[in-house]
Amino acid sequence: IRMPETYVVHLGNSKDLMDIAEDSVARRVLREHVRESLGVRDDDLLFAIINSVSRGKGQDLFLHSFYESLQLIREKKLQVPSMHAVVVGSDMNAQTKFETELRNFVAEKKIQDHVHFVNKTLTVSPYLASIDVLVQNSQARGECFGRITIEAMAFQLPVLGTAAGGTMEIVVNGTTGLLHPTGKEGVTPLANNIVKLATHVERRLTMGKKGYERVKDRFLEHHMSQRIALVLREVLQYAKIHQPQSHS
């Protein structure tokens, strides 16, 4: 079978999202509002996973890593602000077995004060404005192309992602974030990366800035339109050359 030509066009951030991300006053207002609603302080450290809650998105493994990172900090007596995990994308009305498992784990490890479940929402800007690090923990073959990843980078957030799928095309490991393996093997590496970013403010901020530059360079709406236009031009030219000749 001769496969047709394949073209990859990365998504771009919408102008609306970029407007909020680049407006420091709007960001501050959203940050204060969300942090107040979660009951966390201004200098607390927030690591968030923003995906609908399901096993494929890896919220369970993230919570295991988060718990492990709290233990590491305690064991090594590291000086860090109070740390919180925010799981955005919860749906308790659906009462899924998976979500119940997550909540049971939190209760069993007695980390209720450090973990916050937020119902799924279409407006992610307030959460991106209020957190410090985005965790993209999609499992198996990873995230196809995580729009939330480029949105978080627009808000100058470092990304802790799985080394799989589209995340590897977005996150520059060591520069705009840190990657860890999928599956159970990734739990401890992610815990270590959480501790790394918790203890190095400077590194966190630099990665966030680099991520923002990368978005400006390649993940905006106009980049996406330009790429689609190039593909269409090529496809149309090919069609023109290979047009069946009419024999009138």
Side-chain angles (χ1 to χ4, degrees), residues 31 35 40-46 80-84 132 204:
R31 179 185 168 92
R35 286 186 168 236
V40 299
R41 290 191 305 267
D42 189 49
D43 54 356
D44 287 354
L45 264 183
L46 269 57
V80 294
S82 175
M83 287 184 14
H84 297 264
D132 300 289
R204 219 167 50 233

Side-chain angles (χ1 to χ4, degrees), residues 4-17:
E5 277 283 345
T6 306
Y7 299 88
V8 174
V9 174
H10 290 138
L11 298 175
N13 279 330
S14 73
K15 186 183 178 303
D16 291 353
L17 180 112

Side-chain angles (χ1 to χ4, degrees), residues 23-127:
D23 179 340
S24 59
V25 176
R27 282 214 322 259
R28 194 170 64 243
V29 171
L30 291 170
R31 179 185 168 92
E32 284 169 10
H33 172 72
V34 171
R35 286 186 168 236
E36 199 176 304
S37 73
L38 293 173
V40 299
R41 290 191 305 267
D42 189 49
D43 54 356
D44 287 354
L45 264 183
L46 269 57
F47 291 80
I49 187 163
I50 305 178
N51 285 113
S52 51
V53 169
S54 69
R55 209 170 292 280
K57 299 293 186 186
Q59 285 91 351
D60 52 344
L61 298 172
F62 163 56
L63 289 176
H64 282 266
S65 300
F66 180 71
Y67 174 65
E68 214 173 279
S69 72
L70 293 177
Q71 287 179 303
L72 281 169
I73 284 164
R74 200 172 304 133
E75 281 163 23
K76 296 183 175 173
K77 298 189 172 59
L78 299 171
Q79 290 300 304
V80 294
S82 175
M83 287 184 14
H84 297 264
V86 185
V87 179
V88 180
S90 154
D91 184 0
M92 255 331 247
N93 298 333
Q95 284 287 346
T96 62
K97 184 165 155 282
F98 181 64
E99 180 146 352
T100 309
E101 260 173 51
L102 298 182
R103 290 175 186 256
N104 288 346
F105 174 78
V106 169
E108 179 195 313
K109 299 294 185 194
K110 299 187 172 47
I111 49 173
Q112 297 95 321
D113 295 346
H114 294 273
V115 180
H116 311 267
F117 289 93
V118 175
N119 283 337
K120 49 173 157 212
T121 170
L122 291 172
T123 47
V124 293
S125 296
Y127 295 98

Side-chain angles (χ1 to χ4, degrees), residues 133-152:
V133 178
L134 178 85
V135 178
Q136 173 61 277
N137 210 30
S138 292
Q139 296 301 309
R141 284 178 296 184
E143 192 69 17
C144 298
F145 185 91
R147 182 182 276 278
I148 191 68
T149 309
I150 57 170
E151 290 174 338

Side-chain angles (χ1 to χ4, degrees), residues 209-222:
K209 283 200 184 72
K210 289 268 195 293
Y212 170 73
E213 285 161 19
R214 189 163 162 80
V215 161
K216 292 292 274 191
D217 189 40
R218 60 177 62 199
F219 297 128
L220 295 177
E221 228 163 34
H222 72 86

